[in-house]
Amino acid sequence: MPRIRPQNVLAAQWTPNGGAIGAPDLTSPDNQVFGANVFSTAVQRQRLPKDIFRRLQQTLAHGGSLDISLADAVAQAMKAWALERGATHYTHWFQPLTGSTAEKHDSFWAPTGEGTALAEFSGKELIQGEPDASSFPTGGIRATFEARGYTAWDPTSPAFILENPNGAVLSIPTAFASWTGEALDHKIPLLRSMDALSKSAIRALRLFGDKASARVFTTVGAEQEYFLIDEQFYFERFDLVTTGRTLFGAKPPKGHELDDHYFGSIPERILACMLDTERELSKLGVPVKTRHNEVAPNQYEIAPVFENSNVGSDHQQLTMQVMQNVARRYGLVCLLHEKPFAGVNGSGKHNNWSMGTDTGNNLLDPGDTPHDNLQFLFFCAAVLQAVDKHQGLLRASVASAGQDHRLGANEAPPAIISVFLGSELERVFGAIERGEAGETTPGSFLGLGTPVLPPLPLHGGDRNRTSPFAFTGNKFEFRALGSSQSLSLPNTVLNTIVAEAIDALADELEKELGQGKDLEAALRPILQRSYAAHKQIIFAGDNYTPEWHAEAERRGLLNLRATPDALPYLVSEETVALFSNYSVLSERELHSRYEVFLEQYVTKLNIEAETAASIARTMLLPAAVRHRALLLEAQLPELTRELEDLITSFVESIKRLESANLADNQPHDDVLDHAMYMRDAVIPAMASVREDADRLEKVVADDIWPLPKYSEILFIK
Ligand code: ADP
Ligand code: MG
């Protein structure tokens, strides 16, 4: 008898052939691969003429502009280095508004006209590229007949070499702007926001007597969740291939979850794939640090050591790319969708965020002197104030079709933005608010008199895993990002809103200090006011409960459930004023993002709806009909009737979805209206097709059901 599902057996038969990487002797310096494919500062020091290296470092430190002679020298060294490593092409690597990365490859080699070719790559090619921008979304910033876009070298994010079995490409991180100078990417606003925050923070630090720091960097470390599934199941599921998630699939039998629990041991094939991924990332200078199983079966997490926001965001894009590439070497597919399997925990990304000075101080580290603590409380209060004031914008910065299955649905964190401070810190702020703060005495925390508090524990047991925005000892963890998302926009938003809050508090502090008060006396009323005004954003309980939703509503906190509810906050009056004050995004640039994101939402849902209708009609309905014939032949009238009812309902659902899709193709005046139509008409229509299909899956003969089932995809490894 033939096997019913031979792919299950094949999927389980993994051997490390071909993909084996072996175990290099790490005591040998030649085997240390970290940064081997990066044009790092160390490589630059070694390869650039001394004075060029010094000038480049100076320019980078001060954020000045580069002159072309410098660029020529750097280009020459970069080219020689890349050619030695087998690179034949170079590319300006950038982040268009689609959220992924884009590249156009140019050969180093140009024909000389004498039948030979010469490697060419000058400062001009390094500094600027001119890709045809017409195929990247711009939200109306540039009509397609003016399809000129410019990429500009970002010397603060190191160039790297991407290897391929058949060659290598020098990748140069770049910014992408329209010919009118507007940002068409995610990098430019991120860089601008880092500048804005640095200015505000340095200004505040001066008030605290810090004269040494010249720049403040925001830092980011992302914990990335993902699924790895066998590629055979993936390629048999048209929905996974085209939409990244399963549009059908009945829940597997209960109890299976226990099979592969959180922090459990990692299966051999998965670990082999992870090790290889980490090795590749290591070559690219991405400092990967931790890996473990996540809650759902076949779900894992990878996290790097934090870096400055710009490099960290670039590295995060690279991480996602490398994870997907390497998985294929192991017969696996890496799923980055926020909700690949309904009813199974989805994937998010935790964005750990802090601010640090160029002299090495983390501004969100409580520190162990009263002075350090005061400074810490100031910056901490600024974050609270910023998050409270701009809840809607933060929520908008993580909005997408995939995210709507998590935020505001039945999965954490909720769409309501709130902050978890931890009980010690909450007590400190509470005491300040009530005016219980006394003079500094030795041994007391912050001179708060009573209660005498111990230093804040860095990794205390006091954690709250349900909070969307949690203080975790020396950083805040924004936990509401989607797994496939670029870090750039949420961090751009964080940096900008916090810059504004720091300035607001620094204005007040300047005034108080101007009246001759000492730092502690000056700061106390400011913290008191700010905390009292913004403590509504603080919540320490379980964010998943209906009680919290009711409480949040009483407090007047925003609960923006779906993408079309959230995105308008990108272009609200407050956001426009904030972003133009800090020169991070102009009104036009904000509107272009708003439109691009809405369009992406509509397009993704449209593709999902069409895929669902097509699978339902051409794969699932025929299977149900075949099963009916079997039942008829076997003369099982009761089962036949039961199935016929299901089929009738299924056919009706399919027709409703198809007509919702047809109506969707009618022109909509406004892209927001269109998005709301998708939310209100198309999504429910898809859901009811799915509901019927999932019921059919449970009754139709297994050997004629055309899609691999959850119990196979999630548990065979
Ligand atoms: P958990 O799972 O408990 O949240 P992990 O150890 O998995 O913690 O991840 C912590 C993340 O926080 C890492 O990516 C780490 O680099 C990052 N991180 C630590 N300190 C900072 C900081 N100062 N700024 C930004 N990110 C940080
Ligand atoms: Mg975390």
Side-chain angles (χ1 to χ4, degrees), residues 27-274:
T27 57
S28 153
D30 289 350
N31 289 332
Q32 295 291 351
V33 293
F34 189 83
N37 285 344
V38 183
F39 195 65
S40 60
T41 312
V43 174
Q44 292 168 27
R45 180 181 291 117
Q46 195 193 338
R47 296 212 167 223
L48 290 171
K50 258 206 183 84
D51 72 304
I52 298 280
F53 176 73
R54 209 195 45 212
R55 272 169 60 204
L56 180 64
Q57 293 307 312
Q58 267 169 5
T59 314
L60 295 186
H62 302 134
S65 61
L66 279 159
D67 70 64
I68 186 80
S69 67
L70 197 56
D72 272 332
V74 176
Q76 212 178 8
M78 206 188 268
K79 181 184 73 183
W81 172 81
L83 290 175
E84 281 168 29
R85 272 163 180 72
T88 52
H89 289 67
Y90 65 91
T91 180
H92 278 192
W93 186 80
F94 59 100
Q95 293 187 41
L97 296 179
T98 54
S100 45
T101 54
E103 47 195 79
K104 170 191 155 216
H105 297 185
D106 278 298
S107 173
F108 279 122
W109 301 92
T112 58
E114 296 176 353
T116 57
L118 201 71
E120 265 188 0
F121 181 65
S122 66
K124 203 177 115 247
E125 277 92 20
L126 169 63
I127 285 187
Q128 197 176 81
E130 198 183 330
D132 173 6
S134 57
S135 35
F136 297 106
T138 64
I141 272 199
R142 180 192 25 67
T144 40
F145 57 86
E146 309 167 320
R148 266 182 303 164
Y150 291 106
T151 49
W153 179 35
D154 169 17
T156 60
S157 182
F160 54 90
I161 288 177
L162 266 188
E163 291 175 316
N164 175 280
N166 288 331
V169 180
L170 169 67
S171 305
I172 304 160
T174 51
F176 182 44
S178 75
W179 67 282
T180 47
E182 272 139 334
L184 296 179
D185 72 350
H186 285 306
K187 184 188 268 288
I188 294 173
L190 178 61
L191 288 169
R192 291 176 185 159
S193 75
M194 289 170 72
D195 278 344
L197 184 127
S198 180
K199 266 189 217 123
S200 306
I202 287 292
R203 170 193 169 202
L205 283 173
R206 296 286 183 261
L207 300 178
F208 284 90
D210 176 341
K211 296 194 184 76
S213 305
R215 192 168 164 95
V216 168
F217 289 95
T218 49
T219 49
V220 68
E223 299 157 62
Q224 166 83 53
E225 293 178 336
Y226 61 100
F227 282 84
L228 287 174
I229 63 166
D230 192 273
E231 64 184 3
Q232 296 181 70
F233 300 132
Y234 177 83
F235 289 111
E236 285 182 35
R237 299 255 351 192
F238 187 45
D239 47 1
L240 272 178
V241 173
T242 52
T243 72
R245 74 180 186 100
T246 53
L247 301 172
F248 300 98
K251 268 193 206 129
K254 262 258 180 303
H256 260 119
E257 293 92 330
L258 303 173
D259 184 39
D260 191 32
H261 62 278
Y262 191 51
F263 275 36
S265 74
I266 301 172
E268 183 172 81
R269 168 159 58 151
I270 304 293
L271 185 55
C273 175
M274 285 175 169

Side-chain angles (χ1 to χ4, degrees), residues 620-697:
L620 307 183
L621 184 59
V625 170
R626 267 181 226 138
H627 187 64
R628 176 178 172 269
L630 283 180
L631 295 179
L632 277 176
E633 199 187 336
Q635 301 190 352
L636 293 165
E638 201 189 319
L639 290 181
T640 310
R641 257 196 318 279
E642 189 188 274
L643 180 67
E644 281 171 345
D645 287 347
L646 276 178
I647 291 178
T648 309
S649 164
F650 190 39
V651 170
E652 276 166 17
S653 307
I654 294 174
K655 284 192 178 149
R656 272 200 307 274
L657 175 58
E658 285 167 345
S659 72
N661 265 339
L662 275 182
D664 160 51
N665 291 330
Q666 303 306 310
H668 289 258
D669 292 341
D670 179 88
V671 64
L672 182 61
D673 286 345
H674 197 170
M676 291 196 291
Y677 173 80
M678 300 308 280
R679 180 194 63 190
D680 300 334
V682 175
I683 291 179
M686 252 199 296
S688 83
V689 169
R690 177 181 190 141
E691 206 174 293
D692 290 334
D694 291 355
R695 245 184 277 149
L696 283 167
E697 183 190 309

Side-chain angles (χ1 to χ4, degrees), residues 219-223 262-263 289-290 292 301 303-307 350-355 362 459 463 465 472 474-477 479:
T219 49
V220 68
E223 299 157 62
Y262 191 51
F263 275 36
K289 178 109 185 305
T290 61
H292 59 76
E301 182 184 293
V305 174
F306 67 93
E307 300 176 281
H350 291 181
N351 186 104
N352 294 275
W353 177 92
S354 191
M355 308 169 264
N362 179 353
H459 282 296
R463 306 201 93 185
R465 299 216 166 259
T472 48
N474 58 358
K475 60 187 188 298
F476 278 95
E477 185 169 345
R479 299 208 181 103

Side-chain angles (χ1 to χ4, degrees), residues 439-472:
E439 290 306 309
T440 305
T441 53
S444 77
F445 182 76
L446 303 172
L448 294 173
T450 58
V452 176
L453 295 170
L456 298 180
L458 198 60
H459 282 296
D462 191 14
R463 306 201 93 185
N464 181 325
R465 299 216 166 259
T466 68
S467 174
F469 203 98
F471 181 68
T472 48

Side-chain angles (χ1 to χ4, degrees), residues 320-599:
M320 292 192 282
Q321 190 178 340
V322 168
M323 279 166 46
Q324 287 175 306
N325 288 345
V326 174
R328 295 299 305 282
R329 297 182 197 163
Y330 295 85
L332 297 166
V333 171
C334 172
L335 304 180
L336 292 174
H337 193 282
E338 283 73 25
K339 193 74 173 175
F341 307 101
V344 175
N345 199 52
S347 298
K349 184 140 60 188
H350 291 181
N351 186 104
N352 294 275
W353 177 92
S354 191
M355 308 169 264
T357 62
D358 54 353
T359 51
N361 290 326
N362 179 353
L363 300 182
L364 291 176
D365 197 332
D368 32 42
T369 65
H371 175 274
D372 284 353
N373 279 322
L374 282 182
Q375 185 181 301
F376 159 74
L377 286 177
F378 172 89
F379 285 107
C380 194
V383 176
L384 291 182
Q385 180 161 326
V387 173
D388 183 40
K389 185 167 173 205
H390 296 286
Q391 302 156 40
L393 177 57
L394 268 177
R395 169 66 182 91
S397 77
V398 297
S400 72
Q403 283 277 76
D404 287 358
H405 299 284
R406 298 173 7 99
L407 309 175
N410 43 11
E411 193 175 313
I416 306 162
I417 301 287
S418 67
V419 178
F420 173 76
L421 271 187
S423 56
E424 292 92 347
L425 200 47
E426 229 184 287
R427 267 201 333 257
V428 172
F429 273 113
I432 294 172
E433 190 201 0
R434 292 188 301 273
E436 284 168 15
E439 290 306 309
T440 305
T441 53
S444 77
F445 182 76
L446 303 172
L448 294 173
T450 58
V452 176
L453 295 170
L456 298 180
L458 198 60
H459 282 296
D462 191 14
R463 306 201 93 185
N464 181 325
R465 299 216 166 259
T466 68
S467 174
F469 203 98
F471 181 68
T472 48
N474 58 358
K475 60 187 188 298
F476 278 95
E477 185 169 345
F478 186 21
R479 299 208 181 103
L481 277 71
S483 49
S484 64
Q485 209 185 336
S486 153
L487 298 180
S488 302
L489 181 66
N491 286 286
T492 299
V493 166
L494 267 175
N495 296 348
T496 312
I497 65 179
V498 174
E500 179 196 51
I502 290 174
D503 272 334
L505 294 180
D507 284 345
E508 295 180 36
L509 186 56
E510 249 167 27
K511 230 181 266 158
E512 298 279 347
L513 288 172
Q515 294 168 6
K517 291 187 188 164
D518 72 28
L519 192 59
E520 195 178 316
L523 196 56
R524 201 179 300 138
I526 296 169
L527 294 179
Q528 201 169 13
R529 264 200 308 277
S530 171
Y531 187 74
H534 298 288
K535 68 176 181 186
Q536 62 157 358
I537 197 74
I538 291 164
F539 179 63
D542 184 346
N543 281 258
Y544 307 164
T545 58
E547 289 78 24
W548 166 234
H549 287 229
E551 162 71 12
E553 198 174 331
R554 271 196 298 280
R555 292 191 195 180
L557 299 182
L558 293 170
N559 186 358
L560 306 168
R561 286 183 180 80
T563 299
D565 307 319
L567 284 179
Y569 285 84
L570 268 184
V571 290
S572 72
E573 232 171 86
E574 279 198 333
T575 305
V576 170
L578 166 68
F579 276 76
S580 49
N581 276 348
Y582 283 88
S583 306
V584 172
L585 285 166
S586 69
E587 182 163 11
R588 224 159 98 91
E589 287 170 326
L590 277 171
H591 271 275
S592 80
R593 275 152 186 77
Y594 169 68
E595 274 177 32
V596 168
F597 300 158
L598 279 172
E599 262 162 30

